[in-house]
């Protein structure tokens, strides 16, 4: 059975240590190169970001890190990190969580910068492509 839980303040260190490989793997893809796991954890510790975990029969299979971004024109719920496996098993539940959190925060939309495979998956679920990020090295 799939379950999604918010990681409360006194659990962050334990959960973070358990998921370090998953987090590093997730940050190595897409735009994760714009931060480090240490900076992301510090943002969670400060309360600037919120961490959630997906459990399948008691084992963590995914993690989600969210932030609320306020601009001059709107508030957005931003998916900072989505890492894990077996998304077909928990995609519906995560999307429902995102929609509820969006409403709770008064955000106008949910945004995610993601790798191409995840973008394709999200488009099939009704998300729209808003922009393409290009890089030249």
């Amino acid at each position: 059975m799939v379950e999604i839980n918010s990681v409360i303040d006194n659990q962050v260190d334990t959960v973070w240590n358990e998921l370090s490989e998953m987090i590093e793997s997730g940050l190595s893809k897409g735009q994760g190169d714009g931060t480090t796991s240490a900076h992301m954890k510090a943002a969670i510790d400060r309360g600037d970001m919120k961490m959630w975990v997906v459990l399948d029969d008691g084992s963590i299979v995914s993690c989600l890190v969210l932030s609320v971004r306020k601009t001059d024109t709107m508030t957005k719920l931003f998916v900072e990190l989505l890492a894990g496996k077996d998304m077909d098993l928990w995609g519906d539940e995560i999307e429902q969580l995102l929609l509820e959190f969006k409403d709770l925060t008064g955000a106008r939309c949910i945004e995610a910068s993601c790798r191409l495979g995840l973008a394709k998956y999200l488009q099939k679920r009704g998300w729209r492509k808003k922009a393409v990020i290009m890089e030249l090295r």
Side-chain angles (χ1 to χ4, degrees):
M1 181 173 145
V2 173
E3 182 181 340
I4 301 174
N5 292 327
S6 173
V7 179
I8 58 175
D9 294 342
N10 65 354
Q11 296 174 335
V12 172
D13 289 341
T14 302
V15 171
W16 195 266
N17 290 335
E18 184 176 337
L19 301 181
S20 62
E21 286 184 37
M22 183 185 299
I23 292 165
E24 293 296 339
S25 176
L27 288 175
S28 72
K29 299 168 178 74
Q31 281 199 286
D33 60 355
T35 190
T36 65
S37 58
H39 282 105
M40 184 171 280
K41 182 179 178 304
I44 294 167
D45 289 339
R46 284 191 311 271
D48 295 339
M49 295 181 188
K50 188 70 178 156
M51 185 177 198
W52 298 77
V53 291
V54 178
L55 299 116
D56 185 17
D57 291 327
S59 296
I60 298 174
V61 294
S62 177
C63 68
L64 172 70
V65 178
L66 304 173
S67 67
V68 177
R69 296 185 177 183
K70 295 184 181 199
T71 68
D72 291 339
T73 59
M74 75 175 81
T75 299
K76 301 175 184 184
L77 178 60
F78 194 81
V79 179
E80 299 284 346
L81 175 70
L82 178 59
K85 61 182 181 178
D86 301 326
M87 191 168 182
D88 287 334
L89 298 177
W90 45 263
D92 291 340
E93 288 86 351
I94 284 287
E95 197 164 87
Q96 186 59 42
L97 170 83
L98 290 171
L99 291 168
E100 289 171 9
F101 203 65
K102 176 185 82 73
D103 291 343
L104 182 68
T105 60
R108 188 169 97 185
C109 66
I110 304 163
E111 282 188 348
S113 170
C114 45
R115 58 184 168 65
L116 296 175
L118 181 55
K120 185 177 178 180
Y121 176 85
L122 293 176
Q123 278 189 284
K124 289 179 183 177
R125 297 185 59 87
W127 292 55
R128 73 177 182 90
K129 187 184 297 184
K130 185 174 179 177
V132 176
I133 299 164
M134 305 295 292
E135 178 181 70
L136 177 65
R137 289 185 178 211

